[in-house]
Amino acid sequence: MDAPLVTPCNIQICEVTCDSFRIVWDMTPEDTARATHFFIDLSRKDSRDPNRFKHRDVPTKLVAKAVPLPMAVRGHWFLSPRTEYCVAVQTAVRQPDGDYLVSEWSQVVEFCTGDYAMEHLQQLHDKGKGSAGRLLKFSVFYRNQHPDYFNHVRSECGGLMRPALKDSSGSHGSPINGKLNGVFFSCNTEFDTGLPPKDSPYGPLRFQIPAGFLLNPNTCLYFADFYCMYTAYHYVVLVLAPVGSEGDIFCRTRLPMLDLASNPFLTYTAPQQPGEEPLYCHASDVILEVLFTEPVHLDQGSVEQISGHHQLMSLTTANAKKDPSCKVCNISVGR
């Protein structure tokens, strides 16, 4: 009768990305020589019981032929970015009759997958480019809020709209979610007027600032996300960060940088002749969410009441979750 396999121990996880990791554990030389398969029990930390197999002779949901360790585990169909997982392993020897001699389960190890890498964001960028549409002129960035917000800015913040931490809306793997501070602005205009829309889901008061205060040769522009919320229209998240600022340094190694004068979403064209004004354009067929990484003073613009409605709460993107089934804005890694 074959000797039992030793329980794997000292489980270690390394080289973690948004949809892959490597796993290694200690095995005896005897087990290393005779193991034919590894069984990997992988489940989300918040719901691991449903995926846990109770019987020693039932292969787990990941079965791999024995390979030299560390072993790579990858696959967007079961790994998502920024998600906590539990993992345990068994070693196994396939018998001549097709049954398996298996070890006991190892101890459970927890780990968390990473953000989208630059290559994944470039895939999102390319998908967003396909939906962006033609470029339209605009002249102001704007930000809608309720009166309490602007009262607080004036009375408690000295008139400065201070950067706030980006929420979890959009793609779960976007590197800026929960990590980058900024002030959100819009710049989309209506086709017929060339002006900002009359309605807003964010509040009845609108702060407007000339486009050149935020978008100019002294700012860097980055692509951060492309998503939808179970709707026909799509959102593109961009980051504007002054050159050399903390926001710029954060984005430089995490997000694709865009050419201010030539990109599908938001452009600045310098004056061609003396006396001319710069030209600012936005993509027409996506809704742009522009995160400016520095404080903005109310004195740089004006606050006015909008003429339309502000109770369009279905359009707000606060902590909104991305539609994982949309073929337009999803890529072949975790959502």
Side-chain angles (χ1 to χ4, degrees):
M1 183 175 179
D2 290 336
L5 290 159
V6 176
T7 303
C9 61
N10 192 25
I11 312 298
Q12 296 183 51
I13 306 295
C14 60
E15 298 181 34
V16 179
T17 72
C18 67
D19 65 347
S20 69
F21 63 93
R22 288 183 177 272
I23 184 169
V24 62
W25 58 89
D26 290 343
M27 296 174 61
T28 65
E30 294 78 14
D31 285 359
T32 300
R34 63 180 177 144
T36 61
H37 290 78
F38 299 146
F39 299 158
I40 311 294
D41 184 5
L42 178 68
S43 58
R44 290 176 185 258
K45 182 179 177 182
D46 56 4
S47 61
R48 67 178 317 276
D49 284 343
N51 285 339
R52 182 71 175 173
F53 285 86
K54 302 300 184 182
H55 303 292
R56 294 179 68 250
D57 58 346
V58 179
T60 61
K61 77 187 220 183
L62 294 178
V63 180
K65 289 186 176 180
V67 295
L69 299 177
M71 182 179 74
V73 179
R74 58 173 58 93
H76 67 272
W77 55 91
F78 55 80
L79 284 172
S80 296
R82 286 190 174 195
T83 303
E84 292 184 321
Y85 288 94
C86 299
V87 63
V89 300
Q90 279 182 320
T91 57
V93 178
R94 185 178 175 89
Q95 304 294 294
D97 62 1
D99 287 339
Y100 288 93
L101 172 70
V102 296
S103 71
E104 296 291 341
W105 283 107
S106 71
Q107 79 273 25
V108 175
V109 174
E110 299 177 359
F111 70 100
C112 186
T113 48
D115 298 333
Y116 282 157
M118 196 77 78
E119 62 187 280
H120 305 126
L121 289 165
Q122 190 61 51
Q123 291 178 41
L124 272 181
H125 169 278
D126 294 345
K127 280 183 166 283
K129 179 180 179 180
S131 299
R134 63 193 180 97
L135 293 171
L136 301 177
K137 296 179 183 178
F138 76 102
S139 60
V140 297
F141 287 99
Y142 55 92
R143 174 177 173 82
N144 275 71
Q145 287 288 343
H146 290 272
D148 288 349
Y149 170 83
F150 290 110
N151 291 337
H152 175 79
V153 168
R154 293 188 182 96
S155 62
E156 304 297 329
C157 304
L160 278 177
M161 293 187 290
R162 300 187 184 279
L165 195 63
K166 167 71 171 65
D167 65 12
S168 61
S169 60
S171 299
H172 193 51
S174 176
I176 69 172
N177 288 353
K179 293 184 179 180
L180 182 63
N181 290 289
V183 183
F184 264 116
F185 289 91
S186 301
C187 62
N188 288 82
T189 57
E190 294 184 324
F191 287 99
D192 53 348
T193 66
L195 300 174
K198 298 176 181 179
D199 302 322
S200 172
Y202 297 105
L205 295 183
R206 174 172 291 162
F207 171 77
Q208 292 192 169
I209 184 172
F213 277 93
L214 307 185
L215 181 59
N216 57 65
N218 296 315
T219 55
C220 293
L221 177 64
Y222 295 93
F223 173 86
D225 203 0
F226 176 54
Y227 72 99
C228 72
M229 304 181 299
Y230 302 90
T231 54
Y233 43 86
H234 283 77
Y235 296 83
V236 169
V237 181
L238 304 174
V239 177
L240 277 174
V243 175
S245 65
E246 288 187 14
D248 180 32
I249 294 171
F250 175 90
C251 295
R252 201 173 297 165
T253 58
R254 295 174 173 88
L255 304 179
M257 180 184 286
L258 304 180
D259 185 337
L260 286 181
S262 178
N263 72 81
F265 309 114
L266 183 69
T267 61
Y268 163 89
T269 304
Q272 302 301 305
Q273 298 179 8
E276 284 188 352
E277 294 293 323
L279 178 64
Y280 307 95
C281 293
H282 70 82
S284 58
D285 293 345
V286 292
I287 300 174
L288 296 183
E289 298 180 308
V290 182
L291 188 71
F292 188 71
T293 61
E294 296 296 307
V296 177
H297 204 287
L298 294 179
D299 288 347
Q300 293 177 285
S302 61
V303 178
E304 298 177 356
Q305 181 93 20
I306 60 174
S307 59
H309 301 287
H310 68 275
Q311 299 298 330
L312 304 175
M313 293 309 294
S314 63
L315 297 181
T316 181
T317 61
N319 290 305
K321 301 305 179 184
K322 180 175 183 175
D323 177 2
S325 65
C326 179
K327 296 181 180 179
V328 174
C329 62
N330 280 296
I331 57 177
S332 59
V333 291
R335 310 306 180 206

